[in-house]
């Protein structure tokens, strides 16, 4: 049986920006435990302190002193470092995403302007020598699936498909400066989508095309929905609870009808005309909000599990469990059969 853990977050948690890098300082504890300290970079890589702290202020001071004395670079993922499997280092251009100026870093959630969206669209159409490269509307659908889905997917996992590549997180370009600029536009667009869903209430502003016909202009999210399906394909298994749920299937239905090749027997009949596709398109914004809400408990549970892993490594098996249950750790969260 799943039991919820109350993770208490300190009001002292904050972002720290220096030398073009940004990390998030997280300070949290269980109901009956001391404070845990974690520093997370832009790619989700975390540094966790083994020791616990009596106060959240002590934990914050420890983080600030460590970052200032060791350098913020010590707490961020460097694309140029080889992986444990000794893979070839990724090109220098990728690292530029995490070496932007402070002012630009602070604006990384600002929505792209119409001119910037057009610039990005033109780069996809004419600047990438790969027929599999996404278009702007496909990218937007792709990123929406990544943002609201059940699992956190890192840029190094989803960027290659943007350019139609197997592994490279960037396409060929005329210059280093052009690549840096295009990558910053893509990441800003991603961050702006994240920002929208973090608001109260959350909002979605998907981008798709307008189909021009003799009978008028119609919104058509067919390419956008195809991109959303590609985002799901990055980790299709984790989306299974949505598709197993009657409500989840209904949330997804307008996207599936427009974006999947073989979604249902009546698919062709329901998407044949521009008017029909527009009707489905206009349902997508609410679908996104509903799917986002559907996955929130899953994402929170996953995050709590990760936090609790960090906390429980500092607890002896015969000590009181930090979740506040009053039981010994080995009989509670330290048991391999317990899932919180």
């Amino acid at each position: 049986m799943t039991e919820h853990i109350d993770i208490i977050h300190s009001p002292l948690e904050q972002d720290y920006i220096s030398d073009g890098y940004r990390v998030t300082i997280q300070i949290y504890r269980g109901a009956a435990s001391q404070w845990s300290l974690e520093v997370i970079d832009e790619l989700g890589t975390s540094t966790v302190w083994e020791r616990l702290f009596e106060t959240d202020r002590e934990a914050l001071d420890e983080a600030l002193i460590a970052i200032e004395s060791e350098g913020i670079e010590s707490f961020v993922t460097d694309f140029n470092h080889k992986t444990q499997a000794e893979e070839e280092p990724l090109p220098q251009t990728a690292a530029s995403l995490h070496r932007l100026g402070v002012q630009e870093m602070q604006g990384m959630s600002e929505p792209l302007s119409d001119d910037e969206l057009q610039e990005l669209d033109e780069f996809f159409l004419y600047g990438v020598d790969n027929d599999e490269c996404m278009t702007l509307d496909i990218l937007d659908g792709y990123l929406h699936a990544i943002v609201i889905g059940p699992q956190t997917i890192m840029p190094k996992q989803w960027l290659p498909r943007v350019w139609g590549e197997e592994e490279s997180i960037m396409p060929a370009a005329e210059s280093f400066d052009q690549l840096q600029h295009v990558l910053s536009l893509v990441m800003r667009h991603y961050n702006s989508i994240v920002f929208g869903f973090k608001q109260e209430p959350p909002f979605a502003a998907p981008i798709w095309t307008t189909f021009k016909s003799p009978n008028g202009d119609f919104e058509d999210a067919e390419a956008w929905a195809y991109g959303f399906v590609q985002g799901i394909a990055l980790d299709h298994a984790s989306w299974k609870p949505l598709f197993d749920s009657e409500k989840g299937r209904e949330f997804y239905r307008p996207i599936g009808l427009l974006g999947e090749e073989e979604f249902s027997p009546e698919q062709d009949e329901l998407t044949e005309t521009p008017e029909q596709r527009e009707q489905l398109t206009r349902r997508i914004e609410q679908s996104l909000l509903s799917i986002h809400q559907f996955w929130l408990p899953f994402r929170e549970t996953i995050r709590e599990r990760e936090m609790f892993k960090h906390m429980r490594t500092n607890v002896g098996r015969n000590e009181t469990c930090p979740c506040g249950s009053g039981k010994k750790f080995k009989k509670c969260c330290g048991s391999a059969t317990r899932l919180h």
Side-chain angles (χ1 to χ4, degrees):
M1 181 176 180
T2 300
E3 182 181 343
H4 179 73
I5 301 173
D6 287 327
I7 301 292
I8 301 171
H9 288 267
S10 167
L12 299 179
E13 292 187 334
Q14 59 188 264
D15 286 348
Y16 185 100
I17 300 175
S18 178
D19 298 330
Y21 295 95
R22 177 169 58 192
V23 296
T24 299
I25 300 172
Q26 291 203 336
I27 305 168
Y28 51 88
R29 64 179 176 84
S33 68
Q34 293 183 318
W35 294 97
S36 294
L37 174 61
E38 182 176 1
V39 174
I40 305 174
D41 72 4
E42 288 288 293
L43 290 184
T45 302
S46 67
T47 301
V48 183
W49 271 249
E50 292 185 0
R51 60 170 293 206
L52 299 176
F53 301 86
E54 291 187 4
T55 68
D56 53 351
R57 169 55 64 179
E58 182 185 359
L60 177 62
D61 290 344
E62 172 77 13
L64 295 176
I65 291 172
I67 293 172
E68 291 172 3
S69 62
E70 298 176 25
I72 194 170
E73 297 91 344
S74 302
F75 296 90
V76 299
T77 301
D78 188 341
F79 277 108
N80 288 314
H81 287 172
K82 289 186 177 182
T83 64
Q84 292 180 349
E86 290 299 306
E87 297 173 353
E88 288 299 315
L90 295 171
Q92 176 69 22
T93 313
S96 68
L97 280 177
H98 303 280
R99 294 192 174 90
L100 302 174
V102 172
Q103 183 177 1
E104 188 170 356
M105 285 289 288
Q106 291 172 331
M108 281 295 280
S109 294
E110 180 181 351
L112 300 185
S113 67
D114 290 343
D115 288 343
E116 287 171 325
L117 287 170
Q118 182 176 351
E119 179 185 0
L120 192 56
D121 193 28
E122 290 179 353
F123 181 80
F124 289 146
L125 292 173
Y126 309 114
V128 181
D129 187 19
N130 189 329
D131 292 338
E132 300 300 318
C133 177
M134 293 183 176
T135 57
L136 180 61
D137 48 357
I138 293 176
L139 172 71
D140 191 74
Y142 181 66
L143 293 182
H144 272 82
I146 292 168
V147 167
I148 69 173
Q151 299 277 8
T152 298
I153 299 178
M154 296 296 114
K156 63 182 179 181
Q157 297 172 270
W158 57 257
L159 272 170
R161 292 199 184 187
V162 173
W163 324 114
E165 302 286 348
E166 291 293 330
E167 298 179 354
S168 177
I169 67 170
M170 68 209 63
E174 295 177 357
S175 68
F176 172 89
D177 289 340
Q178 183 188 33
L179 269 183
Q180 180 177 358
H181 178 60
V182 169
L183 285 169
S184 70
L185 291 180
V186 171
M187 294 307 299
R188 253 183 64 203
H189 190 53
Y190 167 81
N191 287 336
S192 70
I193 296 172
V194 173
F195 178 81
F197 284 102
K198 286 187 175 181
Q199 301 313 295
E200 291 294 342
F203 68 87
I207 299 172
W208 41 62
T209 59
T210 299
F211 177 78
K212 298 183 180 298
S213 76
N215 296 326
D217 296 344
F218 299 92
E219 293 183 54
D220 193 335
E222 185 172 3
W224 183 97
Y226 171 78
F228 194 95
V229 172
Q230 297 307 301
I232 291 175
L234 291 172
D235 189 8
H236 193 278
S238 70
W239 283 76
K240 189 174 184 297
L242 181 83
F243 301 135
D244 287 345
S245 161
E246 183 177 351
K247 285 187 176 180
R249 291 193 297 272
E250 186 60 29
F251 298 154
Y252 178 70
R253 182 174 174 78
I255 299 173
L257 283 170
L258 289 171
E260 292 193 19
E261 291 186 4
E262 297 181 1
F263 180 73
S264 68
E266 72 275 18
Q267 184 174 9
D268 290 342
E269 180 183 344
L270 295 176
T271 59
E272 184 177 2
T273 68
E275 291 86 352
Q276 288 174 312
R277 291 196 295 275
E278 183 175 72
Q279 288 178 358
L280 292 169
T281 295
R282 289 182 173 178
R283 292 170 52 191
I284 287 178
E285 185 174 328
Q286 183 56 53
S287 289
L288 293 174
L289 297 174
S290 298
I291 293 172
H292 170 254
Q293 184 66 33
F294 178 90
W295 286 123
L296 276 181
F298 290 81
R299 296 177 71 95
E300 183 60 26
T301 296
I302 290 171
R303 181 61 188 147
E304 285 182 351
R305 285 163 118 187
E306 291 303 312
M307 287 183 173
F308 206 76
K309 283 180 185 178
H310 302 329
M311 291 192 296
R312 76 183 191 179
T313 57
N314 298 283
V315 182
R317 288 183 55 76
N318 289 312
E319 294 180 29
T320 301
C321 187
C323 76
S325 66
K327 301 176 182 179
K328 287 185 179 182
F329 177 67
K330 65 182 180 182
K331 295 292 187 180
C332 189
C333 299
S335 170
T337 62
R338 299 283 289 182
L339 174 61
H340 288 270

